[in-house]
Amino acid sequence: MAQDMRPFDLVIPVTGAGPGQITGSVKTPSGKVHTPHITENKDGTITVKYSPVEKGLHELSLINKYNNKHVGGSPFQFHVDEIKSGQVTAYGPGLTHGVVSEPCNFTINTKDAGAGGLALAVEGPSKAEIKCVDNKDGTCSVSYFPTKPGDYAIIVKFADKHVPGSPFNAKITDFPGRHVPLGRSSEVPLKINEPDLSQLTASIKSPSAIKEEPCQLKRLPNGNIGISFTPRETGEHLVSVKKHGRHVTNSPFKINVGPQEIGDASKVKVSGLGIAEADAGEIGRASCRERV
């Protein structure tokens, strides 16, 4: 790796794909194809690391060997910049990928760049709240909070000029969660990384139930592990998944069904995070002033 290229390091959710099921490739700006290093984190995510040899826009493809299809959000785009003094750069996972209603984080480095205003904007299917913190060391930590899945443009400007790679393209996926119709069985993915379903048992407890009821785990068409779930009341549902009588990692899983989610377009969200509705096509903006 050229010493002045910023290394790429990204954690991506790939629920229930099974050990050894995810393969990846990186296409460089010149068209060459390289193989990144992929580590299974055993928590429903993988870590992808790549040592660039070129600067510019790269494309990361992640394939689930179970069905030979891209994982959610793939292919991803990421920009590689040079690490050199005086150049304002932006880097971090939030410029490539994110999850609905979870913070998408990245860093802006303005060390030795001189005086200038820093302007940020996030454009996409939903309005995204932006938070920018001056770290007092020439860097800023930025977080934005998308509330709908889709492609988002992340605009970073310094002194009214785009920094290298801006506007960045981030793929925001709806995991964890799926839109399901009320009264019909729907498939909900869970963060389970176990290859043998025969060793697992599952049960679900609704808000009004006194006891848990058995439910069946299944391998979904995309290779993920999930359950068939029919929401019939609002509130928090708990899904317990056990192996040899002990909870697996991440169990029990929370499934929240809110009052606004009952109807023809009801929604089920796995995890404890609520979803704030926003108008499509809105733009979130923020600005920071570098201390000089």
Side-chain angles (χ1 to χ4, degrees):
M1 182 189 80
Q3 293 300 311
D4 57 354
M5 297 295 173
R6 191 180 304 280
F8 177 78
D9 189 331
L10 183 66
V11 176
I12 299 175
V14 288
T15 305
Q21 289 295 314
I22 305 299
T23 62
S25 63
V26 173
K27 186 176 181 180
T28 70
S30 66
K32 296 179 181 178
V33 178
H34 298 155
T35 301
H37 180 73
I38 297 177
T39 302
E40 295 168 356
N41 300 322
K42 298 183 179 180
D43 62 353
T45 68
I46 60 172
T47 297
V48 181
K49 294 186 177 182
Y50 171 66
S51 298
V53 294
E54 300 178 28
K55 65 179 180 179
L57 190 64
H58 292 61
E59 184 176 273
L60 168 67
S61 295
L62 295 174
I63 303 295
N64 186 345
K65 291 191 293 184
Y66 182 85
N67 57 10
N68 202 34
K69 293 184 178 180
H70 286 269
V71 305
S74 176
F76 306 93
Q77 291 184 342
F78 65 95
H79 181 83
V80 174
D81 56 50
E82 295 179 280
I83 303 175
K84 61 182 181 180
S85 178
Q87 176 175 279
V88 178
T89 57
Y91 54 91
L95 299 177
T96 301
H97 177 266
V99 176
V100 166
S101 289
E102 294 187 8
C104 301
N105 305 315
F106 63 93
T107 301
I108 302 174
N109 186 348
T110 61
K111 291 179 182 178
D112 302 321
L118 189 62
L120 310 174
V122 176
E123 302 177 0
S126 73
K127 183 177 180 179
E129 177 189 358
I130 303 174
K131 293 183 179 180
C132 180
V133 178
D134 185 350
N135 297 321
K136 314 297 183 184
D137 62 356
T139 68
C140 294
S141 295
V142 181
S143 298
Y144 65 95
F145 300 82
T147 60
K148 292 182 180 179
D151 290 344
Y152 285 72
I154 316 302
I155 298 167
V156 182
K157 290 184 177 181
F158 182 78
D160 294 326
K161 294 183 179 180
H162 285 280
V163 305
S166 176
F168 302 89
N169 179 58
K171 295 284 187 71
I172 306 301
T173 58
D174 202 19
F175 179 86
R178 288 179 64 86
H179 301 273
V180 299
L182 180 67
R184 289 175 53 188
S185 179
S186 299
E187 296 173 339
V188 180
L190 303 174
K191 282 187 176 182
I192 301 174
N193 190 30
E194 294 284 346
D196 188 357
L197 294 185
S198 66
Q199 298 186 37
L200 304 178
T201 59
S203 60
I204 187 168
K205 184 177 183 297
S206 62
S208 63
I210 299 176
K211 297 189 302 183
E212 296 181 353
E213 296 183 0
C215 61
Q216 180 144 9
L217 293 168
K218 61 190 298 184
R219 183 73 67 175
L220 305 182
N222 63 1
N224 293 344
I225 295 175
I227 63 168
S228 293
F229 176 71
T230 304
R232 299 190 183 279
E233 63 177 297
T234 62
E236 183 178 271
H237 298 62
L238 294 178
V239 177
S240 296
V241 179
K242 297 181 179 181
K243 181 178 182 180
H244 304 313
R246 293 189 171 188
H247 285 280
V248 301
T249 303
N250 300 318
S251 176
F253 302 89
K254 296 179 181 179
I255 299 180
N256 282 338
V257 179
Q260 76 278 12
E261 297 164 343
I262 298 297
D264 292 338
S266 63
K267 305 171 188 175
V268 169
K269 297 298 177 185
V270 183
S271 85
L273 296 176
I275 299 299
E277 294 298 326
D279 294 332
E282 293 202 31
I283 302 174
R285 299 186 184 275
S287 62
C288 306
R289 177 69 62 175
E290 177 66 15
R291 293 178 180 272
V292 295

